Amino acid sequence: LLACFHSQIAAAAVSEEWCLVRGFDPSNLSCDTCALLEESPTLRSLQKRRNEAGGDEGGNAIDVVAECRSCCQAHKSNPILRPGESLRGKYRYALLTYDENTLDRYGEIKDFLERDLDDVLSFKGESRFRAVKSENNLGGGPDDMMMMMGMMGEFGGGQPKIMLFEKQKKGGWSEEDEEEAGEVITLRGWKREDVKDLLLTLLPNS
């Protein structure tokens, strides 16, 4: 499952148009399908032959499975490959944290908070999901703060993220409980509809 979520993060890093041009629909593509492609000797043979002939139109090597994994959705299962098996309701609680000072850099997440948060809460309830401002505020003067914010943007700190927990906790989970989370997903590059879909799929209804 962890490998699948790595694929989910990779999917956030490429655009929907990039995937559609390559024949993959990221809104419906399960990572199970990519695993099936990886096992195909016919695909490997055709791909090897194409690469030996010069690769794609730009002269680059073709790797269909890697492209598939860059576009697939970890929280979707292929009903043909895994009948009766689903990730629906896998986690009991999710916590989305964001830094108020850097939220404008993540327009899709800001849109999610403003336009989709109430919808998710209406289905899941605050006992299953919360979105909170990060309490890890930056200290120091304005110059120090700007420098630290720049470093955080470069190395991943200060980015909005979702922590997924496999059990409930009295009083609710907080960002200090990150080490106890089953999965932690950084939301850089994510689309608001994908965040909503992820939460609606992985969390049980209230």
Side-chain angles (χ1 to χ4, degrees), residues 93 95 126-127 130 165 168-174 177:
Y93 188 86
L95 181 69
E126 292 189 3
S127 64
R130 282 197 309 140
F165 298 91
Q168 295 280 63
K169 178 182 177 181
K170 187 176 182 180
W173 297 95
S174 70
D177 299 314

Side-chain angles (χ1 to χ4, degrees), residues 11-107:
V14 300
S15 69
E16 182 178 5
E17 182 181 1
W18 186 93
C19 294
L20 291 174
V21 166
R22 286 157 177 78
F24 300 114
D25 182 357
S27 64
N28 293 307
L29 180 62
S30 164
C31 292
D32 291 337
T33 304
C34 302
L36 186 64
L37 288 176
E38 192 169 21
E39 296 173 3
S40 169
T42 302
L43 175 63
R44 288 198 298 269
S45 176
L46 291 172
Q47 184 171 275
K48 180 180 179 182
R49 200 180 314 165
R50 183 71 182 273
N51 285 333
E52 288 175 347
D56 62 16
E57 295 178 357
N60 302 306
I62 298 171
D63 190 338
V64 176
V65 174
E67 292 178 356
C68 183
R69 292 196 181 281
S70 294
C71 299
C72 70
Q73 303 292 325
H75 59 281
K76 294 185 180 296
S77 60
N78 187 314
I80 297 175
L81 298 176
R82 299 173 182 263
E85 191 172 325
S86 172
L87 294 175
R88 187 167 297 278
K90 171 180 173 55
Y91 291 102
R92 311 305 295 173
Y93 188 86
L95 181 69
L96 189 158
T97 64
Y98 61 94
D99 188 330
E100 192 174 26
N101 295 314
T102 60
L103 187 60
D104 284 339
R105 299 183 188 180
Y106 308 99

Side-chain angles (χ1 to χ4, degrees), residues 6-7 11 37-38 50 74 85 87 110 113 140 143 148 150 166 172 177 187 190:
H6 287 162
S7 296
L37 288 176
E38 192 169 21
R50 183 71 182 273
E85 191 172 325
L87 294 175
K110 186 176 182 180
L113 294 171
D143 293 339
M148 291 179 68
E166 296 178 348
D177 299 314
L187 299 178
W190 278 58

Side-chain angles (χ1 to χ4, degrees), residues 154-168:
E154 181 178 355
F155 295 110
Q159 297 180 11
K161 59 188 173 185
I162 289 178
M163 293 176 242
L164 296 159
F165 298 91
E166 296 178 348
K167 58 184 179 181
Q168 295 280 63

